[in-house]
Amino acid sequence: MIETARLAGFFAAHGVWCVSEGETLIPLLGYLHADGEYGMDRLMFDDYAEGARAGQDALADGDPSWVGAVLVADGYIHLDQGKTDALLIEAVQYGAYRQSLQLAVPYRPAQDPRGFAVHKPKFMNADCDDPEFDAMAEAFFVGAASHTEANAVWDAHLDETV
């Protein structure tokens, strides 16, 4: 699950980069092949929700060439502050024992008078052993840092108060 958590971090950072300029993120499906190469598909549909559903279906079905895959979609989560914009991330590691991870990266949209901000990721569901969780969380941040252009945007706009 460590490789898939790293994959999730990489594509979460890519999503942050996309929304930092004020655009709505077209759902994206990132995947990891056995040779270590990443791939990505943008899920462009007439209806945004239809694209997100197609991504969820793709995660559920998997592909024989994927070690892991991640869906990143623009949405909302409810925090103490109320309804908050967030990138919703679902990652799946395939194999004999399928594992999954769900998290959200809350953000303040660029159109807000205070400007764009990225908040601390909120890990929601992790289908793994508790001792592995810390390593998975660390791998997520390593993956985010490996997307150098996106990570620079994330770091420049980080607001850890939320």
Side-chain angles (χ1 to χ4, degrees), residues 24-64:
T24 298
L25 179 71
I26 295 168
L28 64 88
L29 183 68
Y31 38 88
L32 172 65
H33 294 287
D35 64 3
E37 292 295 315
Y38 288 179
M40 182 183 85
D41 295 328
R42 293 262 185 196
L43 305 171
M44 289 191 233
F45 287 77
D46 291 337
D47 177 50
Y48 179 85
E50 191 178 333
R53 279 190 299 277
Q56 289 173 328
D57 290 345
L59 281 182
D61 295 342
D63 182 284

Side-chain angles (χ1 to χ4, degrees), residues 55-143:
Q56 289 173 328
D57 290 345
L59 281 182
D61 295 342
D63 182 284
S65 69
W66 297 348
V67 173
V70 60
L71 173 64
V72 182
D74 211 344
Y76 301 95
I77 59 170
H78 293 278
L79 300 174
D80 292 341
Q81 301 83 339
K83 187 176 174 181
T84 304
D85 288 273
L87 297 177
L88 306 175
I89 299 144
E90 186 173 351
V92 175
Q93 179 168 308
Y94 302 101
Y97 176 66
R98 188 177 285 205
Q99 293 181 297
S100 62
L101 168 70
Q102 292 178 330
L103 65 137
V105 178
Y107 70 91
R108 187 174 58 226
Q111 297 85 351
D112 187 285
R114 297 168 292 167
F116 178 73
V118 181
H119 306 298
K120 295 183 290 190
K122 310 301 184 212
F123 290 84
M124 298 181 293
N125 292 317
D127 178 16
C128 66
D129 296 331
D130 285 344
E132 191 177 314
F133 179 78
D134 288 341
M136 242 180 18
E138 182 178 331
F140 174 83
F141 290 109
V142 167

